[in-house]
Amino acid sequence: MEENTPIQNNAPKWKFRANRGVIKFIVLSVLTLGIYSICVFSHMSIDINRLACKHDGRHTMHYCLIFFLFSWLTFGIANFVWFSRISGRIGDEQYRRTQRRDVRKSTFWLWCVLGSFIVIGPIIYLYKLFKGMNAIAADYNAKGE
């Protein structure tokens, strides 16, 4: 065995949450008057940047900036753009990891925006968003990069 042989270490640098759920999200968001939802989406923006930035070269803006600064400046349009982009990045990362794509940009526009007319659409969107994020986080926790 050679002494200068590099060792492949694919051990994960971080341990990501892979247990996001819709029921817990809705209940805790109501109980905390929306503070929990801000925390969840802020963590998602950090997590997707750590998971995907090395491979796709893109950066998702932190959700707190969107919520507290740009949302009211753009009359809420920034929220639509942010959710559309993070949905696309999660779907692209699932594709890169050879997983079934649970969420895409179109998922946001169809389920969350148009689906709001049938009331349950945004809940289905959140389910798909959390499922996609949980899948790539679990894959990273198991395999690393």
Side-chain angles (χ1 to χ4, degrees):
M1 184 166 141
E2 294 181 31
E3 292 181 26
N4 294 332
T5 305
I7 298 172
Q8 287 279 336
N9 188 3
N10 289 336
K13 292 180 184 177
W14 296 285
K15 183 80 169 171
F16 292 102
R17 285 183 51 210
N19 63 349
R20 294 172 181 89
V22 177
I23 303 296
K24 178 173 77 170
F25 175 81
I26 292 171
V27 169
L28 290 177
S29 293
V30 169
L31 290 176
T32 62
L33 304 175
I35 294 172
Y36 182 75
S37 64
I38 295 169
C39 293
V40 167
F41 293 134
S42 295
H43 285 286
M44 283 181 67
S45 62
I46 293 168
D47 290 352
I48 195 66
N49 284 332
R50 286 182 178 165
L51 286 165
C53 196
K54 181 179 177 183
H55 304 286
D56 65 8
R58 293 183 285 173
H59 183 79
T60 298
M61 188 178 291
H62 197 279
Y63 185 72
C64 285
L65 285 175
I66 295 295
F67 186 81
F68 292 114
L69 184 62
F70 294 115
S71 180
W72 67 272
L73 283 174
T74 63
F75 303 106
I77 295 172
N79 286 335
F80 289 106
V81 173
W82 188 86
F83 279 106
S84 177
R85 287 184 177 175
I86 198 165
S87 299
R89 281 193 79 193
I90 291 170
D92 292 345
E93 185 64 15
Q94 283 186 302
Y95 179 76
R96 187 186 73 76
R97 292 179 179 271
T98 64
Q99 297 176 346
R100 182 174 163 264
R101 291 177 81 169
D102 295 318
V103 63
R104 296 181 168 112
K105 286 183 178 186
S106 61
T107 307
F108 167 72
W109 293 106
L110 293 174
W111 280 113
C112 193
V113 177
L114 292 177
S116 63
F117 292 114
I118 61 169
V119 181
I120 199 164
I123 296 170
I124 294 171
Y125 167 71
L126 286 174
Y127 171 77
K128 289 177 172 280
L129 184 73
F130 293 158
K131 182 180 174 188
M133 194 65 198
N134 289 341
I136 60 175
D139 186 66
Y140 179 85
N141 291 340
K143 300 177 189 172
E145 295 294 324

